[in-house]
Amino acid sequence: MKKYIFKRTLLAIPILFVVSLFIFCMLRLNGTDAAMSYLNASGITPTKESLAHARAELGLDKPILTQYGIWLKDAIKLDLGKSYITGRDVSKDIGYYFSNSIKLVLFGLFLTFSLSLLFGILGAMYKDKFIDLLVRIFAFLGVSTPNFWLGFILISIFSVHFSLLPPFGSGTFMHLIMPGFAISFMSIAINARFIRANMLENISSRHVMYAKMRGVSGFGLILKHVLKNALLPVITAMGMHFGELVGAAIVVENVFAYPGIGSYIITAIISNDYPVILAFMLLFSVIFIISNLLIDISYAFIDPRIRLGVK
């Protein structure tokens, strides 16, 4: 098992290297002038002399691969440069804002897993009955409702009309409830349908039929003979949903004025703050790579054939 984990972790390193090189080159060659953005953010009139000085100061006068090498050397030491707008260290700002966002994303992931598992099991157990109908209606609403629009609806209902939850800010668990549900609503709906369909497929399998013949029924049948065999695809879906929640948080955090990475990166994009944009895209890539790595490792724990290479 340790050998398998080591191999998968080692494979993630070149992937991250290639992704970082692609992101760096894409930002440098996207047609905009980083030196111009830097001068505008600093309030300096862009002239030929000031542009040349800014390019030299930012290292933009060097070949692009040399620029990447310098940036990579600093990035390995967690030095992601300074923001053009604030002048602060990007690493420290990213750490602060992302720590707030990860609380929201983890809460959304908890809601996604717990509620979708509950709805999926109920939908499979009561197929074509009233409960299953409610689950399918919920799933339909989930996949067709924009998360930012849902955020405004939640604020209108639970903050304006009933004064039950705080509409903006952070600091307490109550501040996480509405934005957490808003970012996870679509993921809950998708995952519930996926779990329902996967469990219905397993319920009709031969080993479940034999368990029924032995007198196993109800939740005992679901937990012991259906859910475990349906777990691998669910893990894959949860890994995908984690990335979806991070992406959704970027938009929803602005709706709830939540001090997370979303408001930070949108401000950076509007002002062409290249160090911040590059750091964010790298962070986003790392999140997806780690998510997939954890999925692979989870697979190996659940199914020994994967780590042993057995087909």
Side-chain angles (χ1 to χ4, degrees):
M1 184 65 192
K2 292 181 180 179
K3 184 178 179 181
Y4 176 83
I5 295 176
F6 177 76
K7 287 172 60 178
R8 300 302 299 176
T9 305
L10 198 63
L11 182 62
I13 296 175
I15 294 175
L16 182 59
F17 171 76
V18 172
V19 168
S20 66
L21 178 60
F22 174 77
I23 293 172
F24 187 90
C25 293
M26 183 178 64
L27 286 177
R28 284 290 187 264
L29 302 175
N30 68 351
T32 58
D33 191 343
M36 181 73 73
S37 301
Y38 175 72
L39 291 177
N40 290 333
S42 302
I44 300 174
T45 302
T47 62
K48 289 184 178 180
E49 293 77 12
S50 61
L51 283 171
H53 179 75
R55 291 191 181 100
E57 181 181 350
L58 299 174
L60 300 176
D61 56 341
K62 298 180 175 64
I64 189 168
L65 291 181
T66 303
Q67 296 179 39
Y68 174 74
I70 296 172
W71 174 84
L72 181 62
K73 181 180 177 181
D74 293 335
I76 292 174
K77 297 182 291 186
L78 299 181
D79 181 4
L80 300 174
K82 295 184 181 296
S83 167
Y84 292 170
I85 305 301
T86 64
R88 297 195 300 263
D89 287 338
V90 175
S91 302
K92 293 181 180 179
D93 284 349
I94 287 282
Y96 170 75
Y97 290 111
F98 185 67
S99 63
N100 288 332
S101 291
I102 200 65
K103 296 175 186 176
L104 181 60
V105 170
L106 290 177
F107 179 65
L109 192 66
F110 168 76
L111 291 178
T112 299
F113 180 76
S114 57
L115 294 181
S116 65
L117 190 62
L118 174 63
F119 296 156
I121 291 175
L122 291 175
M125 290 184 64
Y126 299 98
K127 182 177 179 292
D128 296 330
K129 296 183 180 179
F130 181 70
I131 293 179
D132 185 31
L133 177 62
L134 292 179
V135 170
R136 283 185 283 178
I137 291 174
F138 174 83
F140 173 78
L141 291 175
V143 298
S144 57
T145 303
N147 48 36
F148 65 89
W149 183 81
L150 177 62
F152 289 123
I153 296 299
L154 293 175
I155 291 173
S156 176
I157 295 174
F158 295 102
S159 297
V160 177
H161 290 287
F162 295 106
S163 300
L164 295 175
L165 296 171
F168 308 116
S170 64
T172 66
F173 175 74
M174 302 298 286
H175 288 92
L176 293 175
I177 295 177
M178 288 195 296
F181 185 75
I183 67 172
S184 61
F185 187 48
M186 182 178 293
S187 297
I188 294 170
I190 294 172
N191 215 36
R193 292 182 62 180
F194 182 72
I195 292 172
R196 174 187 177 274
N198 199 48
M199 290 189 65
L200 287 175
E201 181 180 347
N202 279 273
I203 285 175
S204 60
S205 61
R206 184 174 299 177
H207 76 279
V208 175
M209 181 183 67
Y210 291 155
K212 290 180 179 178
M213 293 173 63
R214 295 197 308 268
V216 182
S217 61
F219 276 102
L221 179 70
I222 296 295
L223 294 177
K224 293 182 180 180
H225 299 279
V226 178
L227 189 58
K228 184 177 180 180
N229 292 293
L231 195 58
L232 282 179
V234 173
I235 292 176
T236 302
M238 292 305 297
M240 295 170 59
H241 289 316
F242 184 79
E244 291 174 3
L245 293 174
V246 174
I250 296 173
V251 177
V252 172
E253 284 175 354
N254 286 273
V255 174
F256 291 92
Y258 186 85
I261 199 74
S263 56
Y264 181 58
I265 187 58
I266 287 179
T267 302
I269 292 172
I270 293 173
S271 56
N272 289 324
D273 198 344
Y274 279 83
V276 176
I277 298 172
L278 180 58
F280 172 79
M281 294 182 70
L282 181 65
L283 175 64
F284 210 79
S285 301
V286 169
I287 289 172
F288 272 94
I289 290 172
I290 292 177
S291 297
N292 284 280
L293 177 62
L294 293 177
I295 290 170
D296 290 342
I297 294 173
S298 300
Y299 273 16
F301 272 110
I302 295 172
D303 191 344
R305 294 174 299 176
I306 294 176
R307 64 175 180 265
L308 295 175
V310 178
K311 295 183 179 180

